[in-house]
Amino acid sequence: MKKQFNINEVENSLAQMYNIQGLLDALDNVLNYILDSTNGEEYSSIKQSKINLIVYELFRDKNAINSLMITIQQQNDQALKKLSEQIDLFYSKSGEKQNV
């Protein structure tokens, strides 16, 4: 049976993209929390103790950061695949109608 365009799949992809946006916001929050201690200072003016603290926090949170990045990547790949498939089906269906 030939696959057909399914608007529900497009809506599911859109919902998944909103989830991805939430995960990106969470990742941004984690990184901003770690970097907030610099108060926007230039790198050359940051004390070594602050740099050490930032490095420590990055290493401490690396599993959470990596998990977020992997999840974002996987969900993005899935959403793009589904959306691309549905767009191809939509245009192939449109082309069939024009050729009739």
Side-chain angles (χ1 to χ4, degrees), residues 3 5 11 13 24 27 36 38 47-50 56 59-60 62 64-65 73-74 76 78 80-81 83 89-90 94 97:
K3 283 188 170 186
F5 174 75
E11 290 172 350
S13 295
L24 285 170
L27 181 60
D36 274 350
T38 64
K47 294 181 180 178
Q48 187 62 44
S49 60
K50 259 188 199 176
Y56 167 78
F59 273 101
R60 180 196 64 201
K62 74 178 181 180
I65 293 168
Q73 198 171 33
Q74 289 172 342
N76 188 54
Q78 289 173 358
L80 286 173
K81 182 179 175 186
L83 193 55
L89 289 169
F90 177 80
S94 298
K97 286 182 179 177

Side-chain angles (χ1 to χ4, degrees), residues 1 12 17 29 32 35 37 48 60 66 72 77 89:
M1 185 172 179
N12 288 340
M17 291 173 149
N29 289 341
N32 280 333
L35 296 175
S37 64
Q48 187 62 44
R60 180 196 64 201
N66 284 336
I72 290 167
D77 290 347
L89 289 169

